[in-house]
Amino acid sequence: MVSLKRGNSEARVTPRNPPGVWPGLHRLSRKKVIKLAVAEEPSAPPQDIKCVSVRSTAILVSWRPPPAESQNGVLDGYSVRYRALDSEDTEPREVNDIAPATNQILLESLEKWTEYRITVTAHTKVGPGPESAPVIIRTDEDVPSAPPRKVEVEVLNSTAIQVFWRSPIQNRQHGQIRGYQVHYVWMENGEAKGLPQIKDVMLADAQWETDDTAEYEMVIAGLQPETAYSITVAAYTMKGDGARSKPKLVVTKGAVPGKPILSVHQTQENTLLVKWEPPLDAEGQVLGYRLQFGRKDIDPLATLEFTAEEDKYTATNIHKGATYVFKLAVKSRAGFGEEDLQELTIPEDVPKGYPQILEASNISSRSLQFNWLPPVLAERNGAIVKYTVAFREAGSSGNPQEKELPPSPENSYMLNGLKPNTAYDVKIRAHTSKGPGPFSPTVQYRTFLLDQVLPKNFKVKMVTKSSVLLGWEFPENYNSPIPYRIQYDNGGKDIEVDGRATKKLIVNLKPQTHYRFILTNRGNTMGGLQQNVDARTAANLLSKKPEVTFGHDMDGNVMVNLVDAKSSDSSVQAYYVVVVPLKKSRSGQFQNPFNSPEEMDLEELIQDISRLQRRSLRHSRQLDLHKPYITARFLSLPNFFTLGDLKHYDGFENKALEAGQKYVVFVLAVLRNAEATYAASPFSNPFQIDNPDPQPKIDGEEGLIWVIGPVLAVVFIICIVIAILLYKNKTKKTLELRIKCMLNTVEIASPPPMIPWR
């Protein structure tokens, strides 16, 4: 056996003839013997790999053999491996047994406009060498094999249509979509008449598509009225346009007449004459007219329709200082045509009416604040540029004091420096650029005595769909039992409030309704201590109560269904899940004193929502487990929610439920576009977590065993204790007796004392 080494490899040749006899060896040179012995795989890949896409489904791959010193024997052939990178089918493929004299191969049946990774490997009879460095190449573009999707056509008018479509499926675009062609042709009796017309939509470079989600539209104008058209759409690449969509057949509307001839003139002080004529080219097409008119600053405009024979209209109740708009359109079989627009501005004048003073909102011993409404629209006679307020003491013969005020959205004014317990007459008038109007009727107010206390900051603290929480403040150290009254519902309802209270919840209100609340210290609303606020109740959201759907599990959790058909309202900012522990009555039954969550004072919960330090919030909540608490916050309600899982939901802890305690739950929604406005769902049905180790039920003989058994055990234990004590006592006495006997024995055995002789 001959053993030869080359590097880390070893070649062994075992001769068949006896040692020393090797036929034909004399015919081989030493060099040839060594070369035959070390034949192995190529140690280098083929060189100069080049790939060219000759068409959209074929790539020509060329190469040169590995260097001669790296071939390690006679080359037996080549193999080419290729794999698609951006296709649904990314399985690698291989072409084997390529003749050693071949230096190129054509890969066919490839996917169009697809990137491929290609490598080449050289082989000897021993095996393949290393792969060449991969070459990434994309097959050439082709026309799209699929049409645009979701082609829709909408008729705009008698001469125009609008076409909508989406790009073809991505894997069938076969190239970069450069644009679209919209083909349309006139149809008659189901057949095309004439050659199709083409509208091209060329995409800018920034619009070149990389996926199939793009949407496009185009308006085709210049069509014939009441005519049928067939529309198809095709996408195109650099190679041309691809498959067309299925034809869409539409019929344009009938021709509409052009603008009518419209004129507007003022004939009297508050009257306008509107006249019109049909368009010049609308003979025989006019079926009627539509007139829209009104003040430019008020929507909507009034709409009137007239027959084809009518040609004028008289508008009455015209306001001075206002701009009026008139729009007229002609009606034909195809609908209304283009509108003619005319505007007319009426000159201003001094106001004909006066402002209306509203009830006082704030009165003290030294000041009063009142509000007013501007003159009614028909009596303003122009834009209000300022107001004049005149006031004086009631019964005084002197000239009143006057204050000029600019117009403002609030229309409110505070008179200061007044005398206590004094009546004042107040009136007001409005001005336009032409001058002042008349004063309003006088309204009399009386300031308070110096020792009367005016509640401050009367406001709405919270609004729900059926309740309003009102609040106010008193000076420090004020404490008086004199009650106040709150009037609302236009004075139809009157509630007495304790004099020391600083808030009141008004319930049983209607959703989406405006209310005015008046806080006063007297039965009447004039001359007494008054403040008023306005509030609008929330919309009727969350009308469905949460439902316990799966009962409770072994961990003390409860699954609650929170779904509500109205809970997805876009006006809701966030949702809060509120847990209410019920309290036991004297009879031991759990009771809920409220019919609805909106009858509860939710102020503390609202403060929890706005509080930033959630840690201190959770700590304070742990001090009293029997108060209502927020257990989770959501931006949108989940279908189901698990109570008591000890997780945190947007800053709120979902605390474990207490065994043996009964609860109800509700959802509280915070609305977006209204300050301190909320909506609550109804209460869920009461639910309770049972004790994990309930006492066994005592029944019949089994119950007797459960009762007598523990008693006998206790008696037995007591007997054992008594026996131990008696035994210890007896042992002690025996020990004492034995000691006494021993002492007596010692005393007898001792000799008697010696008596001295006398």
Side-chain angles (χ1 to χ4, degrees):
M1 181 177 67
V2 179
S3 176
L4 300 176
K5 286 189 177 180
R6 179 185 178 93
N8 295 325
S9 62
E10 181 176 352
R12 298 177 184 269
V13 180
T14 303
R16 296 182 180 179
N17 295 325
V21 181
W22 197 346
L25 182 62
H26 63 279
R27 293 193 300 271
L28 297 175
S29 67
R30 180 177 179 83
K31 182 177 181 181
K32 290 183 179 180
V33 170
I34 295 174
K35 185 175 181 181
L36 176 62
V38 298
E40 57 184 16
E41 303 93 340
S43 58
Q47 306 177 83
D48 197 18
I49 310 300
K50 295 181 180 178
C51 299
V52 178
S53 178
V54 295
R55 56 180 182 272
S56 62
T57 60
I59 295 176
L60 179 64
V61 184
S62 62
W63 63 88
R64 290 192 299 108
E69 63 273 13
S70 301
Q71 294 180 7
N72 300 334
V74 178
L75 294 181
D76 189 53
Y78 298 93
S79 64
V80 176
R81 299 188 65 176
Y82 60 98
R83 177 170 63 89
L85 298 180
D86 54 354
S87 170
E88 295 180 357
D89 183 9
T90 57
E91 289 293 325
R93 290 175 170 77
E94 187 171 0
V95 180
N96 296 309
D97 301 327
I98 302 174
T102 305
N103 62 357
Q104 66 179 20
I105 187 174
L106 184 65
L107 302 178
E108 298 184 285
S109 300
L110 304 181
E111 295 187 34
K112 301 176 182 179
W113 190 244
T114 302
E115 279 192 340
Y116 281 87
R117 180 185 186 274
I118 300 175
T119 59
V120 184
T121 304
H123 298 251
T124 64
K125 288 189 177 297
V126 177
E131 283 187 331
S132 65
V135 176
I136 307 299
I137 184 173
R138 182 181 289 275
T139 52
D140 202 359
E141 284 188 290
D142 206 337
V143 299
S145 61
R149 298 171 298 138
K150 297 184 178 181
V151 178
E152 301 291 341
V153 183
E154 179 182 343
V155 178
L156 300 180
N157 52 44
S158 60
T159 61
I161 60 175
Q162 189 168 17
V163 186
F164 305 86
W165 68 91
R166 296 184 67 173
S167 53
I169 300 174
Q170 187 176 9
N171 60 4
R172 299 184 66 183
Q173 293 181 8
H174 304 325
Q176 182 65 65
I177 301 296
R178 305 301 175 102
Y180 294 89
Q181 289 183 344
V182 180
H183 302 250
Y184 62 100
V185 63
W186 170 36
M187 303 291 291
E188 185 176 323
N189 297 326
E191 296 183 359
K193 297 294 183 180
L195 297 175
Q197 302 293 316
I198 300 176
K199 289 281 187 179
D200 188 81
V201 181
M202 183 177 295
L203 303 181
D205 292 355
Q207 294 180 299
W208 286 356
E209 299 173 7
T210 58
D211 54 28
D212 57 359
T213 62
E215 299 180 356
Y216 303 94
E217 62 182 52
M218 164 185 266
V219 174
I220 302 176
L223 306 179
Q224 296 297 318
E226 296 183 287
T227 303
Y229 288 90
S230 177
I231 294 92
T232 58
V233 185
Y236 63 83
T237 63
M238 291 290 291
K239 296 296 184 178
D241 56 327
R244 295 187 187 182
S245 63
K246 293 182 179 180
K248 290 283 185 178
L249 189 65
V250 294
V251 179
T252 55
K253 296 180 181 179
V256 295
K259 286 185 181 180
I261 302 171
L262 178 65
S263 62
V264 182
H265 304 281
Q266 186 171 6
T267 55
Q268 298 178 12
E269 181 177 351
N270 61 345
T271 302
L272 295 177
L273 178 61
V274 185
K275 300 187 68 177
W276 59 84
E277 296 178 7
L280 298 177
D281 58 349
E283 184 177 356
Q285 301 181 25
V286 178
L287 300 180
Y289 299 91
R290 181 186 65 195
L291 176 64
Q292 295 177 290
F293 69 98
R295 287 183 60 130
K296 189 175 182 180
D297 56 347
I298 297 179
D299 288 327
L301 299 176
T303 301
L304 296 175
E305 292 195 8
F306 301 92
T307 64
E309 290 74 25
E310 295 178 279
D311 61 357
K312 61 184 175 180
Y313 172 72
T314 300
T316 58
N317 298 322
I318 300 301
H319 306 156
K320 293 181 179 180
T323 298
Y324 284 85
V325 177
F326 295 86
K327 299 178 181 180
L328 185 72
V330 178
K331 183 179 180 181
S332 67
R333 288 183 301 168
F336 290 100
E338 188 177 359
E339 292 179 333
D340 190 12
L341 173 65
Q342 296 290 331
E343 291 187 3
L344 183 65
T345 301
I346 311 300
E348 286 191 345
D349 200 350
V350 298
K352 183 179 179 181
Y354 51 81
Q356 178 185 357
I357 297 180
L358 303 175
E359 298 171 353
S361 57
N362 283 302
I363 300 178
S364 69
S365 58
R366 297 287 187 179
S367 64
L368 69 90
Q369 182 182 16
F370 63 95
N371 303 321
W372 67 88
L373 296 176
V376 296
L377 200 61
E379 297 179 347
R380 292 181 195 175
N381 289 346
I384 303 300
V385 296
K386 65 180 179 179
Y387 293 94
T388 299
V389 174
F391 64 97
R392 66 181 177 184
E393 292 184 24
S396 173
S397 59
N399 293 327
Q401 300 182 52
E402 293 189 356
K403 298 284 186 179
E404 290 189 354
L405 310 173
S408 67
E410 295 80 16
N411 285 336
S412 177
Y413 184 64
M414 175 78 78
L415 294 175
N416 294 305
L418 306 181
K419 298 178 181 179
N421 194 28
T422 303
Y424 284 88
D425 293 333
V426 180
K427 58 184 178 180
I428 188 172
R429 64 181 176 182
H431 298 249
T432 65
S433 61
K434 295 296 184 180
F439 272 107
S440 66
T442 299
V443 177
Q444 190 174 98
Y445 299 100
R446 176 174 291 276
T447 55
F448 303 134
L449 295 172
L450 286 175
D451 59 351
Q452 283 187 293
V453 176
L454 172 67
K456 299 179 181 180
N457 198 20
F458 184 47
K459 62 182 179 181
V460 175
K461 305 182 76 172
M462 186 184 70
V463 177
T464 70
K465 59 179 181 287
S466 65
S467 66
V468 173
L469 180 62
L470 304 172
W472 56 91
E473 300 172 0
F474 286 111
E476 190 176 357
N477 299 326
Y478 173 77
N479 186 9
S480 173
I482 301 176
Y484 291 87
R485 307 188 75 83
I486 296 179
Q487 296 179 344
Y488 64 100
D489 205 3
N490 293 326
K493 295 187 178 179
D494 195 326
I495 297 177
E496 187 172 287
V497 183
D498 184 87
R500 290 176 287 264
T502 57
K503 63 181 179 180
K504 180 64 178 178
L505 182 66
I506 310 297
V507 297
N508 298 325
L509 304 179
K510 298 178 181 178
Q512 288 186 295
T513 304
H514 177 269
Y515 288 92
R516 167 162 290 185
F517 301 94
I518 302 172
L519 178 66
T520 178
N521 67 336
R522 299 183 182 178
N524 62 329
T525 59
M526 298 299 296
L529 176 61
Q530 297 180 24
Q531 292 188 76
N532 63 68
V533 292
D534 294 324
R536 182 177 181 82
T537 51
N540 189 18
L541 303 177
L542 297 172
S543 58
K544 183 180 178 182
K545 66 180 180 181
E547 296 181 357
V548 179
T549 55
F550 297 104
H552 61 81
D553 58 23
M554 297 302 294
D555 296 328
N557 300 332
V558 174
M559 188 73 72
V560 181
N561 184 354
L562 300 177
V563 175
D564 189 334
K566 296 183 180 180
S567 66
S568 60
D569 195 290
S570 60
S571 63
V572 176
Q573 179 180 350
Y575 298 92
Y576 296 84
V577 180
V578 183
V579 177
V580 182
L582 300 183
K583 294 183 179 180
K584 279 187 178 181
S585 64
R586 293 184 178 179
S587 61
Q589 299 294 324
F590 288 102
Q591 292 183 349
N592 186 358
F594 303 103
N595 296 321
S596 165
E598 298 188 356
E599 296 181 4
M600 302 170 57
D601 185 352
L602 302 176
E603 183 179 12
E604 189 172 357
L605 290 176
I606 303 307
Q607 292 174 353
D608 290 346
I609 291 175
S610 60
R611 192 172 303 175
L612 298 179
Q613 296 180 350
R614 297 300 182 192
R615 184 175 300 173
S616 61
L617 167 64
R618 291 192 292 271
H619 177 70
S620 64
R621 277 288 178 231
Q622 290 171 357
L623 298 179
D624 189 351
L625 299 177
H626 295 89
K627 281 188 176 182
Y629 62 91
I630 297 173
T631 197
R633 177 183 186 271
F634 299 102
L635 297 181
S636 60
L637 276 180
N639 290 345
F640 295 94
F641 177 68
T642 301
L643 293 174
D645 61 6
L646 299 179
K647 297 180 181 179
H648 289 80
Y649 295 88
D650 205 356
F652 291 92
E653 181 184 5
N654 188 14
K655 296 185 297 186
L657 301 177
E658 183 181 352
Q661 171 66 48
K662 188 165 287 189
Y663 299 88
V664 293
V665 66
F666 68 92
V667 178
L668 183 67
V670 181
L671 305 189
R672 290 182 182 277
N673 300 324
E675 185 177 358
T677 303
Y678 308 85
S681 72
F683 287 118
S684 68
N685 292 332
F687 58 91
Q688 179 178 342
I689 301 297
D690 294 333
N691 289 316
D693 297 320
Q695 294 296 329
K697 184 177 179 181
I698 299 175
D699 185 16
E701 295 180 358
E702 184 180 357
L704 187 60
I705 293 175
W706 280 100
V707 173
I708 296 177
V711 174
L712 293 177
V714 172
V715 172
F716 181 71
I717 292 172
I718 293 173
C719 292
I720 292 175
V721 172
I722 293 173
I724 293 173
L725 293 176
L726 291 174
Y727 176 76
K728 286 185 177 181
N729 190 30
K730 181 179 180 181
T731 304
K732 183 178 180 181
K733 289 182 178 180
T734 303
L735 183 61
E736 289 177 353
L737 183 60
R738 287 182 179 180
I739 292 172
K740 188 179 293 186
C741 291
M742 290 174 65
L743 291 176
N744 292 335
T745 304
V746 172
E747 185 177 353
I748 294 171
S750 298
M754 296 182 64
I755 301 174
W757 294 92
R758 293 183 180 178

